[in-house]
Structure formats: structure tokens, C-alpha cells
Amino acid sequence: MLYRNQDSETAFDKKLLAELLVNNEAPEIYPASLPQERLWFLNQLSDPNAAYNVHVGLWLNGPLDISALQASLREIVARHDTLRTTFQFSGGQLFQAVSQRTSVNLPMDEVVDAPDPIRRAYELASQEVHRPFDLATGPLFRARLIRISPQEHVFLCTMHHIVTDSWSMQLFVKELSTLYAAFSEGKPSPLEELPISYGDYAEWQRKWSNGELVSQEIDYWKKRLQGVPKVLELPTDAPRPAEQTFSGASQTVILPDAAVASVKQLAAHYNCTPFMVLLAVFKLLLYRLSRQPDVLVGVPVAGRDRVESESLIGFFVNTLVLRDNLAGNPTFLELLGQVRETTLSAFANADVPFEKIVEVLQPERSLSYNPFFQVMFSAIKAAVPTHAFADLTAYPYVVSASTSIFDLGATLIEASDGQWCIQFEYNTDLFSAERVGRMLTDYSAIIPMVADHPETRILDIAVSGAVPNARVLSPEDAEPVSVRQIRESIVRGFESDKLAANRNLLLKIWKDVLGLSYIGVHDNFFDIGGHSLLAARLVREVELATHRKIRVAAIFRAPTIAALARLLTETSTPDPEPMVMELCRGRDSNALFAVAIPGVETFGFGLLARQLTGDHSVYKLQAAEPVILDRPFDADELRSLAQRYLAAMRSVQPHGPYALAAMCDAVVLAQAIIVALEAEGERVSLFTIFDTWVLENSMRRPLWAVDYYLQRVRRLLNCSARDQWTIVKRSITRLAKRDQQQTGSGWKRAYWPGEHFQAPRFRSPVLLFKRPRQPYYYVRDPQMGWGQRTSGGVDVFELECGHLEMLREPYVRVVAEKIACRLRGSVEGNEPGASVPASVERSGALLQQSAA
């Protein structure tokens, strides 16, 4: 087969292709993905080494069926093209050559009779894991079995990072366990055929990386990474070599359960994730050691934001550069807030590959260190999620690293039993084991300290090896405010006037939290710099000062000092979180109900309500208890939950017309509410949807399957070698047969409908806000499936931003303007009908109008 790159109009070298023919079957040729290209280039810079080897090991206890294990391994290699891939450089381009078949061996070493079988097994395992790969000849994976006793075996699989990542290794173990369980009982493979190959993804990534959205995200990174320091100068035990080395080692500590619990509690209290908390602690440590306030850390992200990539073994991981400035001696809470915003902003611009950023920004390059960042922080789950392995018991078998890609890397490892470990991987040509040991001890000690006392300023935290810093004075230092002192003075001096006491207390807390010298008692918290994390911090300070439990939602209900003081005075115990909450009161009776479920981000609805204040009332609907977060609703659950939300709506608005808004999984629930309302004769004037495709039990055929089928056939038909036509016909026949067999068999990720499924239909007009670029298997329908649901028409409005940014400044103003316009139109009787064609608008012009 001849692969032709249609963009560059350059063909893969025919002579090289002929050399790759195996058993008269040509390999499939694809372009390398951008991450693969960079890794291949780095591989060319140095002598063969194991720096990018990735391994997984299983200690298997019980009667092992070796033939079933080998058959399982062969099935995995047959399923995943990456395990049959080598790399060829031709015509100035790097290509993946995917063999039709690859020999799969499972050699076994016997150490039963060794004087120390355990030690000998580890020596063999270490040799196996640290043996380099040849990217041109392959295979780029190896498996080995070591028999320690008749009932104990060590299974190792090592891959080059260019064909795998952490997600892939977890997937490998999962498939191996599933296949072994089936094959050891003589059953066929229970795994569904993969929807696409990694080569298909690489082709798509190449085309997409030149698109408009990538340009926008690159502009973000240009601004974000402007003027970065060349290198993070941590104290080392030896000068930095002229060329980067990969000699490494690692050290690991187990976090106590109490520390883990305190991290989780802190994260939940301040609307963060444990990852953000631990990253903030890591940045604090790096700042104290380096004395450089401008701290850049690389963070890997899965890079699998498309459903069909989730089941593939391959190199998808992308890297984000998270930059924070720790100058000014902030409190840990302030640092955490900054890290949270940095992380969310980076994740909203995570589509562009790091390799593209390096290519465009052209940082000053050096062979002695990595561009932009030299320190990595990551979080992974153990590749062995359970000890069950058919009738065997499996435990992780880890070979310590002898290489390190970066100067220093910190990894949070969550074991299958819930235990957390922190591992520091480091370059031994820079750091001694003793120095890294002190770093790890400091890091472990800082975690409970800041979790218990998050108001502590970062220069007040003891760090061994840190050079003493001059304390940075701030206005707060001149007039320190202690919440405990405030509470005591309030109790002593203002008990006779609770309202005045609460106002004075809140005034001082607000000044401290917002960093302002003057605040009026009627100033809106969100108008003077408040945001989600500061709201959470404000609530915590008030709780400490009053010994009362209040909810963050209280800041939305009472966003001024006067209103919140009145709320504290009038209620002695916290009210349970209501299912319906008034976010703002408007003059118009046509209210907007924002539908939410636990686990779906809802802070943006508060910002939206503030933009609509004065015209339309806005209510948030959300059940207090957890609903369903890990699977689609079934019919009974959806019907029951919709009725509960419907009752809550009618408690504040007995009759229509109603207007609803939702995003993510809550859209399914909002749709069910609308269907129920219309069945009862009520009118729904508007259904606002934020960037959510019709997914729930509705797609008669996953669009990505159609795209994949056509893409593969198109590539096959482009074949120009007549002697390969037999392969072409056989491949097309195989694809068509597989497509027919899979119809109705259960596309789990696409929520294939049941036999009696009826797609919901409603009359409400839809206002759809969406990003211009959608996953490539959705591009065939600009209405994202909603045109087939409603007879009221679909207005599509494109916002040049990320998914969650739609309800953030400045885009939330545009959203509010469009919704308000539609709500006014529905009151005046001007809502569009079924005959109105869908319109598509973009955010740029309206943003300019709004700014004007």
C-alpha cells in the first residue's frame, strides 16, 4: 500500500516501502503524531538508552496458565496497531509503519533454583526494563515471564514511550486480565473491536493542528509564556552538564491517611482538587529552594478528549506548562487560588500539542535542559487496579527507575487500596540522594501544615535547605487582622447589637479576604474582585469567626455585607441547601431556571444571574444529594428526578411559560423536565444549552463510526499499487462486515439505544452556545443533534472560548445578552417557530459591541 500525504503531496518512498514488505503484505503507513515526532527527534540526539522506556509488572500468585497468558498477549498486539509499529524517516517526514502481523514471544526465565530467587528475579527484571529499543526495527514492546516458584511468577511488559503512555499501561493491564480470564476458560475474546487506529488519530491531529482554534490557543500560550526564565535554578550537588543526561533514581514516601484526609477536606472546602493542593505545595517548595518566584512546572494531561481514543494504546499524553508567580509572600490560600486559576485556564487551552507550542514560540534551545520547564508534576493511578486476575492474585511489581527525563519530577500515585504515595524522580548528575531525601521530607511535612493552617504565609513555613528570605511587607503586616481576635472582640463588645457586630465582623473579614482598604456595606462581593475561590475562603473565615456552618451559596443569596449580616442575624442554624435557589430577582415574570446536578460546575450560573439582574429572575435547580455521575440515567431514574425538579420549579413559578438552561450531563435532565412540562400543556419558551451534544441513549449510529469507516475506505481507494488491490478489497469487505455485525451490539461509550428506545421530542426553541471546533466525529451536524429533537428551531451561537469559559468573563456577558433578548422576545410573542431555520452567529462582533 502506498500512503500519500494529501496536504504536502509527498509520497512515502516506494523503495523503503518495498523493503518493509513482510509475507507479501505491505504495512499500513501513517504520519507520526506530533508528540511521536518530538520523541523520535530526542531519541536521535543521544546514544541508545532506556530514558523513555515504560514498564508494567505483575506478581502473579496461583496456578498460571502460560498458554492463556501468551494468547492474551497476542490478542492485545493484534488489537492495537501501535504494538506493531516502527518508525521510518523518508522525504523529510517521519512515518509510522504498521505491520499486518508481528511475532509475539513470551520468554520465561527460571530462578526457582537460584540461591536467592527474589533477588535474582529483580536483577533480570531490571535488565529487561532498562534495555533500549530500536525505533526503526522494533518491535517497540517486550514481554517476559520470570518463574520464582511453581505458584509465583513475575510478568513484565516494557514499551517505548513513543507508542504508549500511563493511560495505555492501565488499559493494557485491564485487557490482559479480561482476556486471560476468558482464554483460561476456553472462551473467545469478550473485547469489542476498536473504533479507530492510532494512525487514524495521527492523521486527524496533523490536519487539525493547522486549524483556527489551534492558532487561538497558541496566542494564549504566547501571552502566558512571554518572558519566562530560561531555567529553574534549584540548588544542586554538581554543575549542570553541557548536555542533558538521563541518569536517574527515585525515592518514594507514603502519605499518612490523616494527611490525605486533610488534603481532600481542604480541596473540597475551597472548590479545588487534591491535585491542585499538592501542586501548590510543590510550587511552594520549589520557590523556597530556588528563590525564584516565577515558577514553571510541566503537567501531563491525558490528551484523550474524544470518545474513540479512550480504548487505544498509544502516545496521546500532552504537556501543559503551569506558570505561577509566588512573589509578595502570599498565604497558602492565595497561592492555592492562583494555582487553581492557572490550572483551569491551562486546561481550557489544552488542545494544542506542546510540540506545536515549542515550534511556534521558538524558545532559546539548550542541550543541557528542557525548554520552558525542567520540573514535572503528575498524578497517576496504579496500573494494577485490583488484585483479582482470573483465578490468580496479582500485585504490582515495580522496578526502580535508573533514568530521569527531567531535572526533578514529583508523582502522586494512588494505589488500588486508596493509599497515596509521593515519588520524586531526579537526575543523579544534578542531585544527591541525600538532597532529594530532604526535599521529599520537606514536601511531606508541608502538606499537613498548610492543610491545617491554610492562612499561613509561605515564607513562614520552615523548609530545610531554603535560603532565608527577607520578609516582604504588605499593608496587612502594618495592621494585622486576626479572625480569632475579631471574634473575641465581637463577643465582648457587641453582644447587645448582633446586627452591628456582624457588620463589623464581616467588614474586617471582607477587607482581609479581598485585600481592600475600603468596602461599603452595600458593595456586591462579585463586583469588587470576588470570585469562586475567594467566596469559599470568605465562608471559611466567617465560619471560624462565628462558629457557625454556612454555605458558599449564601454569598449568592446575600452578596453584600449588609445582606449577609442580616442573614447571619436572622438565622441561628444553617438552612439545608434548597433544591431551588434564587440567584437574582428580576422585574420580568419570565424567569430562567438553571438546571444542575452534583458534580457539574455551577458557579458560572451565579455569574450569569448577575448579568441578568434587573430584568429576569434566575433560579438554580440542584438536588442536595449525589445523583448519578458515572453513567447515563435510566428511564425510571430520569423520570423520578425530573418530577422532583419540576415540583421545585412550580414552588416559585406555578405556571409557564418556563425557560431552562443546562450544560454537560444536566442537559439530559433539563430535556426530561421540558418533555414533562409540555405533556401537561405548559409552554417552554426557551431551552438554552451550553456546548453539549445529544448523547443520552439517542444516537442511532455513532458519527465517529461513520467517519472512521469512510476515512479508511477513502485511504484504501487511494492505493495506486495494482498488486495490492486484493488487500484493498479484503480490507473493505472486512470493514463493512464488522460494521454490520456491531449494529445493535452495544457501543458502550456511545450509549447505543435499546430496542424500544424513542428519542425525546419537544416544541421548545433551543438556543445553543457552542465552541466552533467540535470533536471531528461531530462536525457533520452544526446543531449537535438538537435539530432532530425540537420542532421549535435551533439558534446556534459560537463562542471562541473553552467549554467552562462560556460562563466566565467576558463571554458570560454575551451569553446573558443573547438569553435576555430571547426571553424578551418570548414575552412579546416573537419566539421563532419550527419554520425558522437555524442561525449561526459568532462571539467576536458581540464582544466588541458589549465592550463598546
Side-chain angles (χ1 to χ4, degrees):
M1 183 187 303
L2 180 67
Y3 169 77
R4 189 170 184 80
N5 185 317
Q6 296 178 356
D7 295 330
S8 63
E9 293 299 324
T10 58
F12 189 76
D13 184 65
K14 292 183 178 180
K15 181 179 179 181
L16 181 58
L17 181 62
E19 293 174 355
L20 291 171
L21 292 174
V22 179
N23 297 328
N24 295 322
E25 290 191 10
E28 289 191 85
I29 306 301
Y30 301 89
S33 67
L34 293 175
Q36 284 180 330
E37 194 173 75
R38 182 168 183 266
L39 212 57
W40 180 87
F41 175 75
L42 292 174
N43 187 75
Q44 308 305 305
L45 290 179
S46 59
D47 295 330
N49 61 71
Y52 289 96
N53 284 14
V54 181
H55 80 278
V56 64
L58 301 174
W59 187 304
L60 300 173
N61 287 268
L64 179 64
D65 185 338
I66 297 178
S67 61
L69 183 63
Q70 187 162 15
S72 303
L73 188 62
R74 287 173 179 159
E75 178 67 16
I76 292 175
V77 174
R79 282 171 54 78
H80 296 280
D81 289 3
T82 48
L83 302 183
R84 293 178 274 109
T85 296
T86 55
F87 292 84
Q88 306 297 330
F89 189 73
S90 176
Q93 297 184 46
L94 183 65
F95 294 91
Q96 302 179 69
V98 182
S99 300
Q100 299 294 317
R101 58 173 59 90
T102 295
S103 176
V104 179
N105 298 313
L106 183 59
M108 185 172 69
D109 296 298
E110 294 270 5
V111 298
V112 177
D113 297 328
D116 188 344
I118 304 296
R119 180 175 181 179
R120 180 54 182 159
Y122 186 83
E123 291 173 351
L124 293 173
S126 182
Q127 295 171 12
E128 174 71 11
V129 166
H130 296 116
R131 185 155 51 95
F133 287 99
D134 185 337
L135 301 186
T137 61
L140 301 183
F141 82 96
R142 295 188 300 265
R144 182 170 293 273
L145 195 62
I146 304 174
R147 176 177 289 175
I148 299 175
S149 74
Q151 299 291 313
E152 292 179 290
H153 296 78
V154 170
F155 171 81
L156 282 172
C157 186
T158 309
M159 304 181 193
H160 195 281
H161 200 355
I162 203 168
V163 297
T164 192
D165 53 24
S166 177
W167 181 304
S168 298
M169 299 309 278
Q170 294 179 40
L171 183 64
F172 173 85
V173 172
K174 181 180 178 181
E175 289 194 353
L176 186 72
S177 176
T178 300
L179 290 168
Y180 179 83
F183 291 167
S184 61
E185 296 181 0
K187 297 179 181 178
S189 167
L191 301 179
E192 297 179 2
E193 192 161 353
L194 297 173
I196 66 170
S197 69
Y198 184 85
D200 297 322
Y201 164 80
E203 284 184 336
W204 170 82
Q205 185 195 55
R206 287 279 178 177
K207 295 176 182 177
W208 177 84
S209 64
N210 295 317
E212 181 181 352
L213 182 60
V214 171
S215 299
Q216 295 170 4
E217 292 195 2
I218 287 177
D219 288 340
Y220 164 85
W221 289 109
K222 282 182 179 179
K223 296 175 184 177
R224 190 66 186 169
L225 300 179
Q226 183 178 11
V228 298
K230 294 181 181 179
V231 65
L232 182 66
E233 295 287 1
L234 293 169
T236 62
D237 296 288
R240 183 180 293 276
E243 293 189 15
Q244 187 176 4
T245 67
F246 298 105
S247 301
S250 65
Q251 298 184 37
T252 305
V253 298
I254 298 175
L255 289 182
D257 291 341
V260 174
S262 63
V263 167
K264 291 180 178 179
Q265 183 178 10
L266 179 67
H269 199 96
Y270 291 99
N271 199 23
C272 295
T273 64
F275 177 87
M276 294 175 185
V277 175
L278 294 174
L279 174 60
V281 175
F282 189 54
K283 288 203 168 191
L284 187 161
L285 177 66
L286 296 176
Y287 166 55
R288 295 298 308 279
L289 293 176
S290 68
R291 292 183 296 169
Q292 292 177 232
D294 197 353
V295 180
L296 289 85
V297 173
V299 170
V301 292
R304 299 178 187 244
D305 56 348
R306 292 163 183 83
V307 67
E308 73 275 57
S309 66
E310 294 182 1
S311 54
L312 294 180
I313 290 177
F315 186 21
F316 291 90
V317 67
N318 193 18
T319 304
L320 304 180
V321 185
L322 304 188
R323 182 185 190 184
D324 288 293
N325 194 311
L326 281 69
N329 192 25
T331 66
F332 181 77
L333 267 185
E334 292 167 339
L335 171 60
L336 179 59
Q338 184 182 166
V339 168
R340 177 185 184 275
E341 296 303 319
T342 298
T343 304
L344 292 177
S345 177
F347 272 71
N349 293 273
D351 294 313
V352 57
F354 175 71
E355 294 72 25
K356 193 75 174 179
I357 297 173
V358 175
E359 173 189 330
V360 174
L361 271 59
Q362 291 292 310
E364 180 179 335
R365 305 304 293 269
S366 172
L367 292 176
S368 65
Y369 54 81
N370 198 61
F372 291 123
F373 68 94
Q374 297 78 46
V375 176
M376 179 72 83
F377 186 87
S378 60
I380 62 173
K381 291 188 177 182
V384 184
T386 174
H387 296 315
F389 196 89
D391 58 343
L392 307 177
T393 304
Y395 297 95
Y397 188 88
V398 180
V399 177
S400 297
S402 63
T403 59
S404 179
I405 301 173
F406 301 101
D407 292 0
L408 179 67
T411 303
L412 167 66
I413 304 172
E414 184 176 350
S416 57
D417 57 2
Q419 190 174 67
W420 286 12
C421 302
I422 295 292
Q423 182 180 81
F424 276 19
E425 188 176 279
Y426 59 97
N427 189 304
T428 53
D429 288 327
L430 294 175
F431 305 105
S432 66
E434 292 75 19
R435 183 181 297 275
V436 174
R438 289 195 300 271
M439 290 184 191
L440 195 52
T441 299
D442 282 335
Y443 183 79
S444 303
I446 293 172
I447 291 173
M449 185 187 308
V450 297
D452 294 337
H453 305 284
E455 305 87 355
T456 305
R457 297 196 176 273
I458 61 176
L459 293 182
D460 294 336
I461 297 172
V463 176
S464 62
V467 177
N469 290 272
R471 184 176 178 85
V472 180
L473 293 179
S474 64
E476 288 84 354
D477 293 311
E479 188 179 357
V481 177
S482 168
V483 175
R484 181 171 299 174
Q485 292 173 353
I486 294 171
R487 183 174 67 243
E488 292 173 352
S489 65
I490 293 299
V491 171
R492 288 193 305 268
F494 295 96
E495 287 184 349
S496 62
D497 189 349
K498 290 185 178 180
L499 183 60
N502 285 336
R503 281 191 177 185
N504 281 277
L505 171 64
L506 293 175
L507 179 61
K508 293 182 179 181
I509 294 177
W510 280 42
K511 286 181 178 180
D512 185 44
V513 169
L514 292 170
L516 299 175
S517 58
Y518 174 79
I519 299 176
V521 294
H522 299 292
D523 288 343
N524 190 296
F525 177 79
F526 298 99
D527 290 335
I528 55 177
H531 53 72
S532 58
L533 190 64
L534 285 179
R537 180 186 169 194
L538 182 70
V539 167
R540 175 176 170 81
E541 299 288 0
V542 174
E543 288 179 339
L544 288 173
T546 62
H547 292 295
R548 291 178 53 189
K549 181 69 176 177
I550 64 174
R551 302 182 184 277
V552 177
I555 306 301
F556 287 109
R557 288 189 283 174
T560 67
I561 291 175
L564 189 57
R566 192 178 308 111
L567 183 67
L568 292 175
T569 303
E570 294 173 354
T571 58
S572 58
T573 58
D575 296 329
E577 190 72 52
M579 180 173 285
V580 59
M581 178 190 301
E582 182 183 283
L583 299 182
C584 72
R585 175 71 61 87
R587 294 184 295 269
D588 200 307
S589 60
N590 194 10
L592 176 69
F593 291 88
V595 180
I597 58 176
V600 174
E601 201 267 357
T602 59
F603 177 73
F605 286 138
L607 301 181
L608 176 63
R610 292 183 56 243
Q611 295 294 330
L612 292 170
T613 297
D615 292 327
H616 305 281
S617 297
V618 180
Y619 298 91
K620 185 181 78 169
L621 295 168
Q622 181 171 332
E625 72 275 7
V627 189
I628 298 169
L629 304 178
D630 59 349
R631 60 176 175 81
F633 298 105
D634 64 33
D636 292 338
E637 292 165 339
L638 190 58
R639 190 180 303 109
S640 172
L641 197 57
Q643 289 300 321
R644 292 173 55 198
Y645 276 60
L646 191 53
M649 290 174 62
R650 284 183 164 150
S651 69
V652 296
Q653 183 177 326
H655 299 289
Y658 294 98
L660 287 83
M663 69 190 312
C664 303
D665 292 344
V667 172
V668 180
L669 178 57
Q671 176 186 249
I673 296 172
I674 291 173
V675 171
L677 282 169
E678 292 185 346
E680 297 175 7
E682 296 284 4
R683 183 168 72 91
V684 178
S685 60
L686 183 63
F687 184 14
T688 301
I689 299 171
F690 294 97
D691 202 40
T692 305
W693 185 269
V694 172
L695 274 179
E696 102 297 343
N697 291 339
S698 60
M699 297 175 66
R700 289 294 179 186
R701 181 169 302 280
L703 293 183
W704 53 257
V706 177
D707 282 347
Y708 170 66
Y709 178 84
L710 293 177
Q711 183 184 31
R712 294 293 297 271
V713 171
R714 189 181 301 114
R715 186 186 323 113
L716 292 170
L717 293 176
N718 283 336
C719 173
S720 61
R722 294 196 175 190
D723 58 341
Q724 300 298 318
W725 184 242
T726 301
I727 299 175
V728 172
K729 291 192 293 184
R730 185 169 68 245
S731 298
I732 292 177
T733 301
R734 175 172 52 84
L735 285 170
K737 181 178 179 181
R738 184 187 68 190
D739 188 60
Q740 182 180 12
Q741 290 175 341
Q742 289 182 333
T743 300
S745 64
W747 294 86
K748 293 180 180 178
R749 293 286 183 179
Y751 310 144
W752 191 274
E755 180 181 356
H756 304 293
F757 175 77
Q758 293 292 327
R761 296 283 296 173
F762 52 88
R763 297 183 298 277
S764 168
V766 168
L767 176 58
L768 173 63
F769 293 95
K770 70 173 212 176
R771 294 166 291 176
R773 187 194 67 80
Q774 293 293 323
Y776 63 89
Y777 42 88
Y778 290 163
V779 296
R780 296 181 180 276
D781 186 355
Q783 297 179 0
M784 302 179 77
W786 294 107
Q788 301 172 19
R789 291 293 177 87
T790 179
S791 60
V794 180
D795 279 348
V796 181
F797 188 79
E798 293 185 347
L799 290 171
E800 301 283 352
C801 64
H803 178 67
L804 291 180
E805 290 177 316
M806 290 183 174
L807 293 176
R808 295 290 192 272
E809 291 286 359
Y811 306 102
V812 68
R813 289 183 283 121
V814 179
V815 170
E817 182 178 341
K818 292 292 293 180
I819 292 177
C821 180
R822 293 298 301 273
L823 290 176
R824 286 195 299 270
S826 67
V827 171
E828 297 164 3
N830 298 326
E831 62 177 289
S835 61
V836 177
S839 62
V840 178
E841 301 179 67
R842 298 183 184 274
S843 61
L846 273 181
L847 278 177
Q848 293 174 3
Q849 295 171 12
S850 180

